[in-house]
Amino acid sequence: MKTRIYFPIEIHRREFLSRIIFSLKAANKGFSVVIGAKEEIYSKLNLLRPGHYILKSVQHRLINFVNELKKKNFKISAIDEEGLMHYDDQYYLRRYGKNVIDEIDNYFFCWGYKDMELIKTKFPQLSKKIVIAGNTRINILNKKYEKLYQEEVLKIKKKFGQFYLVSTKFGKINFLPRKGYTEYVKGQIDSGYVTNDYTLNIAKEAKEHEKKNYELYLKFFELFSEKLPNHKLVILPHPGENYEIYREISEKYKNIELSTGEFSTESMLLATKCNISCNCTTSVESYYLGKVPINFIPFVNENVEYSFPKIVSKNLYDINDLINFLLKFDENKNLNFIKMLDAKKIEENIINIDTEEKIIENLGEYKIKNVNIYSSELISRYYFLKRFVRENLIPKKLIYDPARALKDQKNPKISKEQLIEISNQFIEITKLNKPNIKEIYPGIFEFTC
């Protein structure tokens, strides 16, 4: 029986393509790889056979889930999907739970030297289990994969024409209202991330920083419409945000449009003239795609501003400076800016290596003598029937749930056809063998070769 690897997806737009290329490479190495929305995999643990499970973070509140995995003979490894962004050592490490770290069987795969040293200092017991592996979603920004996005980039340009992109990240302020979550700082306290006055003050400062910048971005949209009437701006909200305010803006201003995630972030970044964001990972993605990132922070508080976007971006702090920059923007000239960036500082934050190979090599084979969890065709059919009833026979207004709406916004439904289509494009580029892709439960897919 093939060794199984589980690699869940938390945010589709952020992780989907990278999970596919990982699955293809691991399947070609003889593994059975399972991907799908995090919630879907969590809910079916009793039906899934044991294997390597890669956590997307090591938050202390995951301990009950991790204990369940261990009881069911899963072997634990982990990454930190949000680990690239750092502005304060203590606040950065608030999401690292010692109780979860102590349960890691295999490895913690970190981004680069910077986070490795931070983690080793705080958790010396993890020192021998840390592997610097970069990150799969940075790998797919490599030039060799650019062909993968060509068709979608053409669709974007056909829809929007030439445009500037604003990738928003204001989830601390502009979040979808839902039960159990009313405010960012309280949410941090309830989650156990705030443990002293220092981390409490950082949380408050982070919220205030985002609130002020959110308000100033709304003013920027108004000024853009006025000063650049012949230019187009497209807003791409973070999937954790409430899209409603951006819908209102796109209806109010003729030269501002909204993209709600129908296209991948990578394709949007390739299609735009330049990306404008505030304290956001899309600055880093823009850099790796060869686009000039504009890190626009009109309200400044360096205590809560990520260091890495500043290293790879043109940093602007005044609305009028940004307007003037866009009026004179020349993409070809500005690409010289990228060539002059500090490569050493960039490499301290993330190593640009073949992450998939590094993870696969370290996980290795995992044989289980007593497999006590089985999935049956009958149980599988029951769950597919349940999904069909929910999606086709029950009026949506009867089952609307704000928390579910947020999850769906972060992780829209994946289809087998979509996976096959994207896999075939990767195969053409990489010359990997074609996998067998099976939907073993609704939204949960297995790759084998």
Side-chain angles (χ1 to χ4, degrees):
M1 187 178 289
K2 293 176 184 287
T3 297
R4 173 72 64 81
I5 302 173
Y6 295 89
F7 207 168
I9 301 168
E10 183 183 40
I11 297 180
H12 183 278
R13 194 196 303 166
R14 181 178 69 187
E15 301 150 28
F16 181 57
L17 291 177
S18 65
R19 292 294 189 268
I20 295 175
I21 189 63
F22 176 86
S23 300
L24 287 171
K25 287 187 177 182
N28 271 259
K29 294 280 187 180
F31 291 89
S32 156
V33 188
V34 169
I35 63 171
K38 183 178 69 175
E39 290 78 15
E40 298 291 356
I41 294 177
Y42 281 12
S43 69
K44 304 294 187 300
L45 276 185
N46 287 327
L47 304 171
L48 297 168
R49 67 178 173 89
H52 293 294
Y53 195 101
I54 304 176
L55 298 169
K56 54 75 58 181
S57 66
V58 286
Q59 301 169 32
H60 66 90
R61 61 182 174 177
L62 290 176
I63 189 60
N64 291 335
F65 171 67
V66 169
N67 287 337
E68 281 300 306
L69 287 173
K70 302 275 282 193
K71 284 179 188 175
K72 298 180 192 321
N73 290 324
F74 287 80
K75 291 194 80 173
I76 310 296
S77 292
I79 60 172
D80 182 10
E81 199 68 74
E82 288 87 31
L84 186 61
M85 307 302 260
H86 168 276
Y87 49 69
D88 177 90
D89 290 358
Q90 190 177 155
Y91 202 67
Y92 176 89
L93 291 167
R94 78 196 189 285
R95 295 177 297 105
Y96 285 68
K98 180 182 181 300
N99 54 353
V100 175
I101 281 173
D102 287 342
E103 298 301 325
I104 291 177
D105 301 294
N106 290 329
Y107 297 99
F108 183 91
F109 300 103
C110 60
W111 292 77
Y113 295 106
K114 188 171 184 175
D115 62 329
M116 178 186 74
E117 291 303 324
L118 277 174
I119 297 162
K120 284 171 71 173
T121 301
K122 179 72 174 178
F123 304 105
Q125 72 272 30
L126 197 60
S127 294
K128 293 182 180 179
K129 295 180 179 180
I130 290 182
V131 174
I132 296 178
N135 190 275
T136 55
R137 63 187 170 98
I138 297 298
N139 278 6
I140 61 164
L141 307 179
N142 192 296
K143 277 281 183 186
K144 68 181 179 181
Y145 295 131
E146 199 167 302
K147 186 179 177 183
L148 181 70
Y149 309 108
Q150 284 178 354
E151 186 177 335
E152 194 171 48
V153 168
L154 289 174
K155 289 179 182 177
I156 293 167
K157 289 183 175 180
K158 185 176 180 180
K159 179 174 182 177
F160 297 120
Q162 287 197 326
F163 65 95
Y164 295 108
L165 184 68
V166 171
S167 301
T168 67
K169 189 186 76 69
F170 299 114
K172 295 180 180 70
I173 302 300
N174 181 40
F175 55 85
L176 271 174
R178 56 196 184 274
K179 186 178 179 181
Y181 187 90
T182 56
E183 188 267 336
Y184 173 72
V185 177
K186 184 179 183 300
Q188 292 287 289
I189 294 169
D190 292 345
S191 298
Y193 294 147
V194 171
T195 55
N196 52 40
D197 287 343
Y198 180 79
T199 49
L200 176 62
N201 288 332
I202 289 288
K204 288 178 178 178
E205 287 186 54
K207 180 188 173 183
E208 178 68 8
H209 182 264
E210 195 159 290
K211 179 177 182 292
K212 295 286 189 185
N213 280 302
Y214 173 66
E215 291 166 353
L216 288 166
Y217 263 69
L218 298 183
K219 288 184 179 179
F220 165 66
F221 296 140
E222 181 181 359
L223 196 60
F224 180 93
S225 184
E226 177 190 335
K227 299 290 186 182
L228 287 87
N230 298 320
H231 295 257
K232 184 174 288 185
L233 185 73
V234 176
I235 303 172
L236 179 64
H238 188 281
E241 284 192 73
N242 188 342
Y243 294 171
E244 196 54 41
I245 183 66
Y246 303 122
R247 286 194 179 92
E248 291 173 8
I249 288 166
S250 65
E251 290 168 3
K252 183 177 180 180
Y253 302 117
K254 291 182 179 179
N255 61 338
I256 297 181
E257 296 192 40
L258 175 65
S259 176
T260 56
E262 63 270 40
F263 304 111
S264 70
T265 301
E266 295 87 356
S267 296
M268 290 294 293
L269 292 171
L270 283 168
T272 186
K273 291 193 280 187
C274 75
N275 177 60
I276 303 159
S277 62
C278 180
N279 219 25
C280 181
T281 315
T282 56
S283 290
V284 178
E285 293 170 311
S286 296
Y287 160 74
Y288 279 105
L289 288 169
K291 293 283 183 170
V292 178
I294 308 302
N295 187 32
F296 175 50
I297 309 180
F299 177 79
V300 175
N301 180 351
E302 293 187 354
N303 291 339
V304 291
E305 290 170 11
Y306 296 125
S307 57
F308 197 29
K310 291 183 176 181
I311 292 170
V312 298
S313 301
K314 184 169 185 65
N315 299 289
L316 295 172
Y317 302 95
D318 181 82
I319 289 179
N320 290 315
D321 288 345
L322 176 56
I323 292 293
N324 289 331
F325 178 82
L326 297 178
L327 282 167
K328 300 173 185 177
F329 184 76
D330 182 325
E331 191 170 356
N332 293 323
K333 288 181 181 177
N334 279 281
L335 286 176
N336 293 327
F337 167 82
I338 290 178
K339 296 175 185 176
M340 298 181 69
L341 295 173
D342 191 329
K344 187 177 179 181
K345 281 187 177 179
I346 292 168
E347 194 164 280
E348 284 175 2
N349 286 271
I350 180 168
I351 297 294
N352 195 9
I353 60 176
D354 193 324
T355 303
E356 299 85 22
E357 292 288 344
K358 197 73 175 174
I359 293 175
I360 294 163
E361 165 197 327
N362 280 280
L363 288 182
E365 192 175 33
Y366 177 38
K367 288 186 177 179
I368 302 170
K369 293 180 181 178
N370 180 24
V371 179
N372 54 14
I373 301 172
Y374 298 92
S375 65
S376 75
E377 191 65 28
L378 187 62
I379 296 172
S380 180
R381 286 180 182 178
Y382 162 75
Y383 279 105
F384 279 107
L385 177 61
K386 187 177 176 182
R387 181 175 71 177
F388 176 83
V389 170
R390 179 183 175 87
E391 291 181 355
N392 297 282
L393 302 181
I394 302 176
K396 290 197 169 31
K397 63 182 180 181
L398 295 180
I399 56 173
Y400 177 76
D401 171 15
R404 180 73 254 172
L406 176 61
K407 289 173 184 175
D408 290 343
Q409 195 164 282
K410 286 185 173 183
N411 249 323
K413 182 181 172 183
I414 301 170
S415 71
K416 181 179 176 180
E417 292 71 25
Q418 183 185 23
L419 289 174
I420 291 171
E421 181 184 354
I422 296 171
S423 295
N424 287 341
Q425 291 174 323
F426 270 124
I427 289 163
E428 187 180 337
I429 296 167
T430 60
K431 309 303 179 187
L432 291 167
N433 294 322
K434 192 172 183 178
N436 176 45
I437 301 174
K438 181 181 179 182
E439 189 171 12
I440 54 179
Y441 290 102
I444 302 175
F445 298 87
E446 179 191 30
F447 286 65
T448 54
C449 282

